[in-house]
Amino acid sequence: MKDFAFTGGRPDPNTFPTEALIEASTKALRNLGGQLVNYPGESGYRGLRELASMRFEGREGVPLPIDNTSITSGSMQALDLTLGTFIQPGDTVLTEEYTYSGTLGIMRHLQANIVGIPMDYIDGMNMDALEDKLKELKRQNVTPAMIYTTSNHQNPTGAILSLKRRHRMLELAEEYDTLIVEDDCYGDIDFVPNPTPASLFKLDESNRVIFIATFSKILGAGVRQGYFVAKQPYYDMIHQNRWDGGTSALASAIVAEFFKENLEAHLETTNNAVGAKCKAVIDTLEEHVSDICTWTKPRGGLFLWIDLPESTDMKKLNALASAKGVGYSNGSAFHYAGEPVKAIRLAYAYCNIEDIPEGITYLAEAIRDAQVATVDVAAAD
Amino acid sequence: MKDFAFTGGRPDPNTFPTEALIEASTKALRNLGGQLVNYPGESGYRGLRELASMRFEGREGVPLPIDNTSITSGSMQALDLTLGTFIQPGDTVLTEEYTYSGTLGIMRHLQANIVGIPMDYIDGMNMDALEDKLKELKRQNVTPAMIYTTSNHQNPTGAILSLKRRHRMLELAEEYDTLIVEDDCYGDIDFVPNPTPASLFKLDESNRVIFIATFSKILGAGVRQGYFVAKQPYYDMIHQNRWDGGTSALASAIVAEFFKENLEAHLETTNNAVGAKCKAVIDTLEEHVSDICTWTKPRGGLFLWIDLPESTDMKKLNALASAKGVGYSNGSAFHYAGEPVKAIRLAYAYCNIEDIPEGITYLAEAIRDAQVATVDVAAAD
């Protein structure tokens, strides 16, 4: 049976640049040689920090502060270190109502009180709702440890926090004295040429934003090369919480060497491929389930979110889809409180494009076959 | 000014196998290619776990359980994860009186009550002293969270825990119901052909030992490829504490590919080189300070420990040595309670062998010039 894997935030395997990485690793190893006996240092390989800075400058017009940038094992370790530094058990954290399951896992592990803020799938977190919640918390004498947001191509919805909302979020963070953790791990995956709004990190004027990004999402999750950027005192605070001896300089140097030469060309190649896959998913959904489902139409990132009819039996859907080899992620995994949700997330970059119509057709059939006459539906009849 | 760096646990840069690693990275990338878009998994790249298992089998006659082996960012992250899982604030941990400063750093960060057990520089931790301490703790109703030990080529002293003591430590762990964390990160660095005693992990019959080792110490700290081995339930407990998305499969695959072909040959080359450096340090010390100092004569590992006269002014020594470009580590960094110690640690693998006589001669002069007439000495006169 074929495997239609729409699970997991993995980049496109078909545009993985094997030969160029071989060239890059040859160069990197010849450059560094015996220097690799040294520890990378807690901040990691400088060449990759410089690359992160240049990349940011290309997008945002200003460089990242290299001495405040620290390489991590993907953006996941950056999250682990940052959240672990600023969240004490019982602390309140605010996030989009639907957000990355891995972040929720860390927050739960840290025993945070997670508060989900309503959002829409286009412009992200609702700032009126955020303000209301901050007011309510203030009345209870609660200062949240942070607002966590995925500003670009949000996981799982693909929402992009609008510029207006970014400004307002910064104002609210200032007014209510909290931090913002901006997870921009999907920022580089864009299918259209017009840029996303300026980052919260760039817009920030009162040192309230910790910025997290990664090279793994445009290359491979297996390379594990993310980073965080935090001004002082936050940078040192996070590093006091770091005890891994730093991220592999071998891997960092290879990734840096590759992107130094190939960033723009690789982005064009892989983003075109991923965008085409996204379109193939949308076209097939359109053909088969536009009468009963709605879904997001992301302009970037790796994920598409499908709202299913209320009458969907989620267990049955899972069984039917699995039987056809179709994998997806259950919506509840992304709900801040893990509540059951009649929605699923599709990750579209991994599956071969020629298999997408077949896989999504199976999924559409499974969605139809998973509809049940609920009591409510029966009553309405 | 020349730099005589006897600091930091770094392997020999002169035998770093640059060209063989280029070959290995070419093979690894061609084998894996687009598979690198996948997450490594929490346990990490299987090929490196298999290699760790085979290596253990070569030394100990039995393989490591691959499904209980997890790749980490050097042995440091293995320590961080293991200690973080089993130490709660206020918990008591037992270790050699002198031990790795990084481990002490993690233990202090975790707010452990660190108890140092007397040791000798040949056979390691004193088991009578360990038993006395365990008895005393039991009277106080304290069950230690763990005994931490570097069984082979101990950092900083080079001691090797004798087989008899290993058996007794296991009996005591059983009797007093505690875990043993066996840090074997230096096990592969041996200058003599006769093997070190069987590991505590192998000898253990009651599932009380977590084993930590690394490939970084025989290749480069910059590659960050260590691992821990823990049977259940400990393996899952440690992984519940792990949120980094796994260790770079890119780096793991390169290191695995290299060692698959070159382990024995590389060990012979690099251990011969490091052993010669160790001998050069000892010969020069012998020539210059044998009347006032004693030092360990390690048969492996990266470190040599010098006991200095009580009349040494440690600050003056540091200033005098620094002025000549000689770096070493202060003994107090390795004392479990950070107490001032008239001793220093030399890491001998990094410095060029032709520079060692000059550097150690400067150090010897600095030691002589840092002697002061203390009140005690004056009184004795």
Side-chain angles (χ1 to χ4, degrees):
Chain A
M1 190 175 71
K2 266 192 208 166
D3 193 24
F4 306 99
F6 299 107
T7 47
R10 294 172 291 187
D12 176 39
N14 310 114
T15 50
F16 186 83
T18 303
E19 293 304 318
L21 276 169
I22 289 172
E23 266 183 54
S25 63
T26 302
K27 273 191 203 169
L29 277 160
R30 218 157 263 157
N31 283 346
L32 286 176
Q35 290 178 52
L36 280 166
V37 304
N38 293 295
Y39 281 86
E42 282 196 330
S43 306
Y45 182 64
R46 189 171 176 92
L48 193 60
R49 290 187 282 140
E50 287 169 350
L51 193 83
S53 180
M54 287 189 291
R55 172 65 186 145
F56 192 84
E57 188 166 12
R59 288 173 53 116
E60 310 253 351
V62 293
L64 287 175
I66 291 167
D67 292 338
N68 295 76
T69 301
S70 185
I71 306 296
T72 52
S73 180
S75 52
M76 190 75 187
Q77 191 194 19
L79 281 171
D80 182 34
L81 292 171
T82 305
L83 272 52
T85 301
F86 297 107
I87 300 176
Q88 304 303 319
D91 276 359
T92 294
V93 295
L94 305 173
T95 183
E96 289 97 357
E97 188 176 4
Y98 299 105
T99 190
Y100 172 43
S101 49
T103 302
L104 291 171
I106 295 171
M107 288 175 171
R108 287 174 191 143
H109 180 68
L110 295 168
Q111 303 176 49
N113 170 36
I114 308 171
V115 175
I117 306 294
M119 64 183 296
D120 64 65
Y121 301 164
I122 305 296
D123 291 331
M125 194 187 291
N126 181 310
M127 288 301 116
D128 290 339
L130 176 63
E131 183 165 15
D132 287 348
K133 180 53 76 177
L134 286 165
K135 272 188 194 159
E136 182 191 326
L137 290 168
K138 189 164 190 177
R139 280 195 300 272
Q140 300 161 356
N141 282 319
V142 173
T143 304
M146 64 179 62
I147 303 164
Y148 169 79
T149 184
T150 310
S151 41
N152 292 324
H153 316 307
Q154 201 242 8
N155 180 2
T157 67
I160 299 170
L161 194 66
S162 71
L163 183 63
K164 201 175 154 190
R165 293 191 188 187
R166 291 177 195 226
H167 281 295
R168 185 125 174 253
M169 187 185 278
L170 286 162
E171 287 163 17
L172 289 169
E174 175 76 2
E175 186 177 345
Y176 291 90
D177 191 24
T178 189
L179 289 176
I180 296 172
V181 175
E182 178 178 30
D183 186 350
D184 190 27
C185 64
Y186 308 108
D188 283 325
I189 310 167
D190 219 322
F191 316 142
V192 297
N194 46 317
T196 49
S199 66
L200 290 154
F201 184 81
K202 182 194 170 189
L203 297 172
D204 175 31
E205 292 178 349
S206 61
N207 194 15
R208 295 196 170 269
V209 180
I210 291 160
F211 181 77
I212 290 174
T214 189
F215 293 104
S216 304
K217 294 289 180 192
I218 52 171
L219 185 57
V223 305
R224 315 292 318 121
Q225 297 296 313
Y227 50 100
F228 69 83
V229 191
K231 294 185 182 157
Q232 295 294 14
Y234 304 123
Y235 189 77
D236 283 353
M237 287 170 73
I238 297 171
H239 271 179
Q240 280 162 22
N241 199 28
R242 178 172 198 167
W243 294 90
D244 68 346
T247 299
S248 173
L250 173 59
S252 294
I254 293 171
V255 170
E257 194 65 43
F258 169 71
F259 279 124
K260 208 167 68 183
E261 302 289 335
N262 302 287
L263 181 64
E264 290 307 327
H266 178 69
L267 281 179
E268 191 177 335
T269 306
T270 198
N271 285 347
N272 280 342
V274 175
K277 290 182 178 188
C278 178
K279 185 174 180 305
V281 168
I282 290 174
D283 288 349
T284 316
L285 288 172
E286 192 66 45
E287 197 180 326
H288 292 292
V289 285
S290 61
D291 55 332
I292 56 169
C293 297
T294 55
W295 52 85
T296 58
K297 279 114 191 143
R299 58 164 266 194
L302 298 174
F303 308 110
L304 177 149
W305 180 252
I306 308 181
D307 280 312
L308 305 167
E310 273 306 309
S311 53
T312 307
D313 179 334
M314 298 299 287
K315 276 195 182 161
K316 192 170 174 190
L317 174 57
N318 187 51
L320 290 169
S322 295
K324 289 290 195 176
V326 178
Y328 60 82
S329 300
N330 241 306
S332 63
F334 308 95
H335 186 268
Y336 76 98
E339 281 173 16
V341 178
K342 303 286 187 182
I344 60 175
R345 187 196 77 173
L346 301 184
Y348 41 71
Y350 187 76
C351 206
N352 289 322
I353 191 161
E354 58 269 28
D355 293 330
I356 285 178
E358 185 181 353
I360 297 296
T361 301
Y362 290 146
L363 176 66
E365 287 165 5
I367 292 173
R368 288 206 178 276
D369 293 344
Q371 301 308 311
V372 290
T374 64
V375 175
D376 284 351
V377 172
D381 287 345
Chain B
M1 190 174 71
K2 267 193 207 170
D3 193 24
F4 306 97
F6 299 107
T7 48
R10 293 171 293 185
D12 175 41
N14 311 115
T15 50
F16 186 83
T18 302
E19 293 303 319
L21 275 171
I22 288 172
E23 265 183 54
S25 63
T26 302
K27 272 191 202 171
L29 277 161
R30 218 157 263 157
N31 283 345
L32 285 176
Q35 291 177 53
L36 280 166
V37 303
N38 293 294
Y39 281 85
E42 281 195 331
S43 306
Y45 181 64
R46 190 174 174 91
L48 194 60
R49 290 187 280 140
E50 287 169 350
L51 193 85
S53 179
M54 287 189 292
R55 172 66 186 144
F56 192 84
E57 189 166 12
R59 288 173 54 116
E60 309 255 350
V62 293
L64 286 175
I66 291 167
D67 292 338
N68 295 75
T69 301
S70 186
I71 306 297
T72 52
S73 181
S75 52
M76 190 74 188
Q77 191 195 19
L79 281 171
D80 182 34
L81 291 172
T82 304
L83 272 52
T85 300
F86 297 108
I87 299 176
Q88 305 302 320
D91 276 0
T92 294
V93 294
L94 306 172
T95 184
E96 289 96 356
E97 188 176 6
Y98 299 105
T99 190
Y100 172 42
S101 49
T103 301
L104 291 171
I106 295 172
M107 289 174 169
R108 286 172 193 146
H109 180 68
L110 294 168
Q111 302 175 48
N113 170 36
I114 309 171
V115 175
I117 306 295
M119 63 183 296
D120 63 66
Y121 300 164
I122 304 296
D123 291 331
M125 195 187 289
N126 181 309
M127 289 301 116
D128 289 339
L130 175 63
E131 183 165 15
D132 287 348
K133 182 51 77 176
L134 286 165
K135 270 186 193 159
E136 181 191 328
L137 289 168
K138 190 166 189 173
R139 280 196 300 273
Q140 300 161 354
N141 282 319
V142 173
T143 304
M146 66 180 59
I147 303 164
Y148 169 80
T149 184
T150 309
S151 42
N152 293 324
H153 316 305
Q154 202 241 8
N155 180 1
T157 67
I160 299 171
L161 194 66
S162 71
L163 183 63
K164 199 175 156 193
R165 293 190 187 187
R166 291 176 195 228
H167 280 295
R168 184 124 175 255
M169 186 184 280
L170 286 163
E171 287 163 17
L172 290 169
E174 175 76 4
E175 187 177 347
Y176 292 89
D177 190 24
T178 191
L179 290 176
I180 296 172
V181 174
E182 178 177 31
D183 186 349
D184 190 27
C185 64
Y186 307 107
D188 283 325
I189 310 166
D190 218 323
F191 316 141
V192 298
N194 45 319
T196 49
S199 66
L200 290 154
F201 184 82
K202 182 193 169 189
L203 297 171
D204 175 30
E205 292 177 347
S206 60
N207 194 17
R208 295 196 170 270
V209 180
I210 291 160
F211 182 76
I212 290 173
T214 190
F215 293 103
S216 305
K217 292 290 179 193
I218 52 172
L219 186 56
V223 305
R224 314 295 314 122
Q225 299 294 313
Y227 50 100
F228 69 83
V229 191
K231 294 185 182 159
Q232 295 294 9
Y234 304 123
Y235 188 77
D236 283 352
M237 288 169 74
I238 297 171
H239 271 179
Q240 279 161 23
N241 200 27
R242 178 172 197 166
W243 294 89
D244 68 346
T247 299
S248 174
L250 172 60
S252 294
I254 293 170
V255 170
E257 194 65 44
F258 169 72
F259 279 123
K260 209 167 70 182
E261 303 289 335
N262 302 290
L263 181 65
E264 290 307 327
H266 177 70
L267 281 179
E268 192 176 335
T269 305
T270 197
N271 285 346
N272 280 343
V274 175
K277 290 182 178 187
C278 178
K279 185 174 180 304
V281 169
I282 290 173
D283 288 350
T284 315
L285 287 172
E286 192 68 44
E287 196 179 327
H288 292 290
V289 284
S290 61
D291 55 332
I292 55 168
C293 297
T294 56
W295 50 85
T296 58
K297 280 117 190 141
R299 56 164 267 194
L302 299 174
F303 308 109
L304 178 148
W305 181 252
I306 308 181
D307 280 311
L308 305 167
E310 273 308 308
S311 52
T312 307
D313 178 333
M314 298 300 286
K315 276 194 184 163
K316 191 171 177 189
L317 174 58
N318 186 51
L320 291 168
S322 295
K324 289 289 194 177
V326 178
Y328 61 82
S329 300
N330 241 307
S332 63
F334 308 96
H335 186 268
Y336 76 98
E339 280 172 18
V341 178
K342 303 286 186 182
I344 60 175
R345 188 195 76 173
L346 301 185
Y348 41 71
Y350 188 76
C351 208
N352 290 324
I353 191 160
E354 58 270 28
D355 293 330
I356 285 178
E358 185 181 353
I360 297 296
T361 301
Y362 290 145
L363 177 66
E365 286 165 5
I367 292 172
R368 289 206 178 277
D369 292 344
Q371 302 308 311
V372 290
T374 64
V375 175
D376 284 355
V377 173
D381 286 348

